[in-house]
Amino acid sequence: MSIWSYANPVKFLALSAKLQPYLWAAAAFCICTGLIWGFFGTPDDFRQGSTVKIIYLHVPSALMAINAWFMMLLTSLIWLVRRHHVSALAAKAAAPVGLVMTLIALITGAIWGQPMWGTWWAWDPRLTSFLILFLFYLGYIALWEAVEDPDTAADLTSVLCLVGSVFAVMSRYAVQFWNQGLHQGTSVPMATGGRTVSDVFFVPLMISMVGFGLLFVALVLYRTGTEIRLRRAQALRSRQEREL
Amino acid sequence: MIALLLRDLRLAFRAGGGFGLGLAFFLIVTTLVPFSVGPTSALLGSIAPGVLWLGALLACLLSLDRLLALDYEDGTLDLLLTAPLPLEAAVSVKALAHWLTTGLPLVLAAPVLGVLLSLPASGYGWLVLSLALGTPALSVIGTFGAALTVGIKRGGLLLSLLVLPLYVPTLIFGAEAARRGAMGLDPSTPLLMLAGITLGTIALMPFASAAVLRMGLR
Amino acid sequence: MIALLLRDLRLAFRAGGGFGLGLAFFLIVTTLVPFSVGPTSALLGSIAPGVLWLGALLACLLSLDRLLALDYEDGTLDLLLTAPLPLEAAVSVKALAHWLTTGLPLVLAAPVLGVLLSLPASGYGWLVLSLALGTPALSVIGTFGAALTVGIKRGGLLLSLLVLPLYVPTLIFGAEAARRGAMGLDPSTPLLMLAGITLGTIALMPFASAAVLRMGLR
Amino acid sequence: MPDLGKYAVEVVSAYGASLILLAVLLGMTLRRGRKARAELAQVEADANREAVKKNG
Amino acid sequence: MMLSAQNLTLARGGVPVIAGLDFTLAAGQALILRGPNGAGKTTLLRTIAGLQAPVSGTISGADDAIAYAGHADGIKAMLSVRENLQFWAQVFGGGAIDAALDAYALHPLADRLAGTLSAGQKRRLGLSRLLVTGCPVWVLDEPTVSLDVDAVAMFAAAVRAHLASGGAALIATHIDLSIDAEVLDIKPFRAKPVHFSGASDEAFL
Amino acid sequence: MMLSAQNLTLARGGVPVIAGLDFTLAAGQALILRGPNGAGKTTLLRTIAGLQAPVSGTISGADDAIAYAGHADGIKAMLSVRENLQFWAQVFGGGAIDAALDAYALHPLADRLAGTLSAGQKRRLGLSRLLVTGCPVWVLDEPTVSLDVDAVAMFAAAVRAHLASGGAALIATHIDLSIDAEVLDIKPFRAKPVHFSGASDEAFL
Ligand code: HEM
Ligand SMILES: Nc1ncnc2c1ncn2[C@@H]1O[C@H](COP(=O)(O)OP(=O)(O)OP(=O)(O)O)[C@@H](O)[C@H]1O
Ligand SMILES: Nc1ncnc2c1ncn2[C@@H]1O[C@H](COP(=O)(O)OP(=O)(O)OP(=O)(O)O)[C@@H](O)[C@H]1O
Ligand SMILES: [Mg+2]
Ligand SMILES: [Mg+2]
């Protein structure tokens, strides 16, 4: 049986109903463990003090914000090529989740920035590209809302997602160029990447990251189911009216 | 009257109704400013009150063309004119609905955007206060502009042109109040002027708008 | 093809066609900036290239909603779609007409407005060059946005919301080039990037616009 | 409660804001989901009633 | 007598189109306006509805008594059929909308968004608005455009009921409505060109 | 045979409206579409014109041979009648527009701005566009809306001439056009509900 058979709404609903309890439980477990361990069970950083605890929210949400966009890109492509409705609806369902993740990353980052850099916000390349990502999410959701015909909306938002991704990459380079060009150096501790955090922080961080990932999957499955039901209800209703 | 207000609000909240778009536009313009003038936070902080006021004004301006033009296009305005309803009241209600769906969210969002532009800490309260006092005037004046251009296809840009000069006094006093607040000076004089402008326009503009609308639909 | 271009230009020049409105908007926004940020000429001079770029971008943006929506409303777009004319070409021609009636006048007017904002003398040439290189990209990207929102009633604000993030790279490189020029630094890298963006978008975006248009009119 | 030192406000508000946002997202998701289920059940019941009326 | 007009001269776009038109409309009476394209029917109806002023002449009995329906229907695409009607009922101070929904067989469509109706269904909604206004005089510009035969019959029935209950109607149309009504052909009232006599400011016309 | 459709299923707003429709249209033939409001006439014509894709079924012979005229006329208010026609003539690679102006008696209006025409005059301009396209198949959605009797006769004459010269026409209308044509009633082709069987990706429908 090919994986595409799950593009059928009924099969999809059945499978996702089976998976969801485990997903929700696992997500809740990981997030609680990660955050509680992180919040109560890790020492303060010698330089950053207790603010280092923010990392357990900041990094997972930032990661999921980007991954949500990748997932939308993928499902948009699938919709454009194979026209499976579930795929388009999954993209629709993921967007608000991505938006909230972006917002969490931005807010925790901003709160962290105040004690560390002495400012809520700096026009650092990574921060700036996140802001742009936030804008893309907003536009994408607004377009879904604005187009009345559901298939047309799926088409248009998919193309927006593709074109938007290209421009997001371009913006990323533009922003890097722009800020280096000004030699405006807020040195960002996160810019180095890789394992800059020591093991004490690393394990709970990993757990929290896995938790956010599971939460994302569970949310998207649930929300896709909702979208499918709404779509079906709408179709049935127009049906009935036309029968009369 | 209430029916009209409720309908306008309901339409704004429905899909495609445009609620939140003004806000999003405000957000985007504000984020574009650093891209164009550069990221230096001292520079940004010094222009922040002005930029935020200008952004709010533009967001308001751009949502004006939905204010009456949609009703004109589908014939609602003709029908409202022949309905037993004073046009002055109808116009005021439309301005109120516009402020509730556009101006008010801008006022609430302004402090958040102040962070992006490194607005000095002392400026937030005054910024919000000046916007809260000034945006109603923007909606009322904007309604007048919308009434002026109502018969014109896609008159959006023309509308902006007509309204912008009328916005100048509001902008000057509003931005001045916010700027003085941010610099720690006393902003009460411009705030008073601003309040005066708002009260005056709320009292008088609806009559002008209604008159213009009657002429325009001829 | 030529017929379409000529018709668009003719319509733009007719009364109510919108030629010059973009320019006037540019003018007004630029003149409002000193009102909102205060008249200090050092401050103004340092933000002048950015403000001019931002103003040009906004003027461009605001004229976008006339680009396809008028043709949609009166049914011309449906008829064009059924005409023996490749849609990609039609879309490119429309973008060209938009640039000729909006972008080009902005490029020509920018130096004059530079004077109002005390732009440093060395900046004029680079400002004009960067605008001349960058505004075609704005028109082409804008056409894509207009095609995305074409079926939506008064989608003007939504259009802005969708297009503004797409304008970010163009704005960054354009404003950076103008700013470096004004400060006497070497603006050739951002100018090259800008040219690259313009060429790339001109080559590729018409296909996206045409595809989106076909989907949207369904 | 661990001692958060001088950054207590920051850390707690970061956790608070994030958890609130997550809760809001979760709440909206669940509400919309319930509404969708109810609506679909309603519509399908109607559809069945119609079908019965017509056929039987 | 519900509505009367004396010696009307009307202009459109600055050019007179109708001159010297009189008519009266009594309670219970319908008057069908006929005339070729461009004769000035729309101009006349808009004037009567108070949307433009006549160049000269008087109209009496019109204030607030008129429900006008023009080429556009004043329907909001994003409101449902019911919400649309309810809004107009509230604006005109009327109450129930069920009778109006019944008269045009709109009950099955009542919860559809008005934007998803077909051309004829939209028109039916537009016409049902007349029933919730409670206005005695209906002024209608080509009301049956895009209606199928059944819907035209519904419309005729609605007009007949309105007349029977003491209302009046002024209807411009090109087709036959099978309503018992007088016909007013406005072709003979076409305005003659005025020559540039230099006597008054009206010489442009 | 100029145009044929096999087993068409069409959807509007994601819901099927027509299923299992076949028809053929030969040179010199006109086909009148009939059906109550909301039956799917507009949907069918837009599909044939290529503005939307059928859910299933095939249409053959349509590419670039079709001149479509829908509810909107594609008229620019700020261009004169002549300029409007000329533009469409150029787009379709055609030449002279005089014949088209003649056919709908538009010569006296030729230099008026199209925005100042009355509803029926605009429609005449919209219909005259068909004559400059040179396309063999006309697909028309309620073409006679707001036309007076004379203009309807002009339209009928134009259609007859088009058929005589080997063209074909597919016309949706609610009124009688006095054109010699077959009638296709689309009411019997109303789509039946598909059940939520889970058999395919189309299970919403
Ligand atoms: C609003 C402001 C901020 C935003 C939008 C932001 C965004 C991001 C993003 C996108 C990542 C990358 C996640 C990944 O790819 O793994 C990240 C990681 C990180 N951020 Fe932030 N950040 C912000 C502020 C801060 C601040 C103020 C700090 C601390 C002083 C900080 C510390 C970190 C750390 C330590 C990482 C993990 C880096 C790594 O291990 O790769 N961030 N942030
Ligand atoms: N906006 C306008 N500006 C100038 N002249 C106009 C305008 N609209 C209509 N006219 C002209 O005024 C005259 C009367 O137009 P009107 O619309 O009243 O005609 P009508 O009888 O309603 O025709 P139809 O049956 O075609 O709807 C026509 O000659 C028309 O060309
Ligand atoms: N935008 C839309 N979204 C959803 N459903 C629609 C939309 N437009 C029309 N419909 C529905 O699709 C069906 C077919 O509509 P269509 O416009 O093709 O009918 P029609 O035969 O042209 O009717 P009319 O004679 O009233 O013009 C109708 O039931 C209508 O309610
Ligand atoms: Mg008329
Ligand atoms: Mg139709």
Side-chain angles (χ1 to χ4, degrees), chain A residues 242, chain E residues 112 116 118-121, chain F residues 12 37-43 142 174:
Chain A
R242 270 168 226 185
Chain E
R112 275 271 278 283
T116 67
S118 80
Q121 293 165 337
Chain F
R12 187 75 207 258
N37 290 141
K41 300 179 294 300
T42 300
T43 310
E142 307 200 39
H174 293 296

Side-chain angles (χ1 to χ4, degrees), chain C residues 3-4 7 10-11 14-15 70-71 73-76 78-85 214 217-218, chain F residues 46 49 51-53 64 66 68 72-76 78-80 83 87-88 90-92 113 129:
Chain C
L4 188 57
R7 187 201 67 147
R10 182 181 286 159
L11 276 173
R14 289 276 155 97
L70 283 177
D71 277 351
E73 277 162 18
D74 61 18
T76 307
D78 274 354
L79 301 179
L80 273 180
L81 234 73
T82 60
L85 200 75
R214 282 206 194 86
L217 290 185
R218 191 158 306 150
Chain F
R46 286 179 61 86
L51 291 170
Q52 69 178 73
D64 279 359
I66 288 190
Y68 170 75
D73 281 321
I75 292 174
K76 288 287 164 197
M78 289 313 290
L79 294 181
S80 72
E83 286 166 335
F87 167 67
W88 287 113
Q90 283 163 349
V91 166
F92 282 87
L113 287 186
R129 185 183 57 82

Side-chain angles (χ1 to χ4, degrees), chain E residues 112-186:
Chain E
R112 275 271 278 283
L113 287 186
T116 67
L117 300 179
S118 80
Q121 293 165 337
K122 268 195 196 123
R123 195 75 199 176
R124 260 150 65 195
L125 172 55
L127 291 173
S128 70
R129 184 182 58 83
L130 294 170
L131 296 171
V132 303
T133 59
C135 292
V137 183
W138 289 0
V139 171
L140 313 179
D141 198 356
E142 307 201 37
T144 57
V145 160
S146 7
L147 292 185
D148 62 16
V149 258
D150 291 350
V152 172
M154 290 174 203
F155 169 69
V159 172
R160 270 188 233 106
H162 177 65
L163 298 180
S165 70
L170 185 60
I171 306 175
T173 181
H174 293 295
I175 68 165
D176 186 38
L177 295 178
S178 70
I179 297 174
D180 204 25
E182 265 179 71
V183 170
L184 173 64
D185 189 345
I186 61 166

